[in-house]
Amino acid sequence: MAELAALEDPRAREVNEKRGDDHGVNLSKLRAVAKRLKTQQELARQLWETNDTAARLLALLICRPKAYERDELDAMLREAGTPKVHDWLVNYVVKKSPHSEDLRQSWFADPDPVVASAGWALTTERVAKSPEGLDLPGLLDVIESEMREAPDRLQWAMNHCLAQIGIEHAELRARALDIGERLEVLKDYPTPPNCTSPFAPIWINEMVRRAGESRAG
């Protein structure tokens, strides 16, 4: 904890706080600490219990994802707090857990929009990697009816799912593009140069174009 406190950078904290993250540790430096520590499950549990954001991020880098029970992961998600802890927990731990599909189904229907956003993130992963058994037209129905009014984190996760369906599934691409055009979610999102806009129609068309170029090459 003392080492993490020494890595505190006021400028990094200022940038992070604009995104809802209450820590000031440069993530490259945090990853360097994790690389030195290697996997230490017991230390990871202790760091998580501190309730400190930087410590929790470090915990997620040094933990053993398959060591967590289903209910433990569910509790961790509900107390994750900041967006970065939530995202790393889903992407670095839950996605590698044998409980990921069970949690995906449970979280997807959760009344808490932040918890539901994790269910959508796991669903997006399946859209890309193992769509068998998913009702993709049904997902588009939900997105079409609910995404525009959804709270920010849930809206972002639904939008990612919409884009992924359009990118990966040519037979549904026209419908995904149409939904994106009509709902206009994230249409005006400020996008840095050389980055792809999160507005689904632009995102879908750009990824499909790149895939076509790589196949042609």
Side-chain angles (χ1 to χ4, degrees):
M1 294 302 293
E3 186 174 352
L4 289 176
L7 293 175
E8 175 79 19
D9 178 343
R11 283 175 300 176
R13 177 174 287 276
E14 187 180 343
V15 171
N16 289 329
E17 285 182 343
K18 289 178 182 174
R19 301 176 184 144
D21 290 309
D22 59 349
H23 74 93
V25 178
N26 177 288
L27 296 182
S28 296
K29 293 179 179 178
L30 193 74
R31 290 179 190 279
V33 174
K35 190 173 181 181
R36 190 187 78 236
L37 292 172
K38 300 187 169 64
T39 302
Q40 295 193 46
Q41 181 63 19
E42 189 51 43
L43 177 58
R45 289 183 191 277
Q46 292 170 356
L47 287 168
W48 183 269
E49 290 302 319
T50 65
N51 205 23
D52 175 82
T53 294
R56 285 185 161 183
L57 291 172
L58 181 59
L60 297 171
L61 293 174
I62 66 169
C63 74
R64 189 176 295 108
K66 293 179 181 175
Y68 291 106
E69 297 297 330
R70 179 213 178 278
D71 289 350
E72 194 172 11
L73 290 171
D74 181 69
M76 288 168 72
L77 185 88
R78 293 175 189 281
E79 64 181 42
T82 67
K84 185 64 74 178
V85 173
H86 174 102
D87 290 345
W88 281 21
L89 176 61
V90 172
N91 288 298
Y92 297 168
V93 182
V94 179
K95 284 182 180 178
K96 299 174 184 175
S97 164
H99 308 294
S100 62
E101 178 59 18
D102 181 15
L103 289 169
R104 181 190 77 81
Q105 295 180 31
S106 169
W107 290 342
F108 189 85
D110 198 276
D112 182 332
V114 175
V115 175
S117 74
W120 277 90
L122 294 172
T123 300
T124 302
E125 174 93 345
R126 275 202 56 192
V127 167
K129 296 186 176 176
S130 56
E132 302 78 17
L134 286 180
D135 177 8
L136 298 178
L139 287 173
L140 290 178
D141 289 343
V142 176
I143 291 167
E144 188 171 22
S145 65
E146 299 180 16
M147 181 171 73
R148 197 204 300 260
E149 304 303 325
D152 287 354
R153 301 267 289 280
L154 179 55
Q155 184 185 69
W156 189 273
M158 284 182 164
N159 184 70
H160 190 179
C161 191
L162 172 65
Q164 203 70 55
I165 291 172
I167 293 162
E168 302 286 346
H169 300 277
E171 73 283 5
L172 295 171
R173 188 168 299 146
R175 186 178 174 208
L177 288 166
D178 177 63
I179 291 170
E181 291 285 4
R182 282 187 292 106
L183 298 187
E184 299 188 335
V185 168
L186 300 176
K187 185 174 184 177
D188 300 319
Y189 191 83
T191 305
N194 303 319
C195 292
T196 302
S197 168
F199 179 47
I202 295 176
W203 190 355
I204 292 167
N205 287 326
E206 175 62 15
M207 293 299 121
V208 171
R209 183 188 68 76
R210 288 186 199 175
E213 282 184 358
S214 64
R215 279 197 293 271

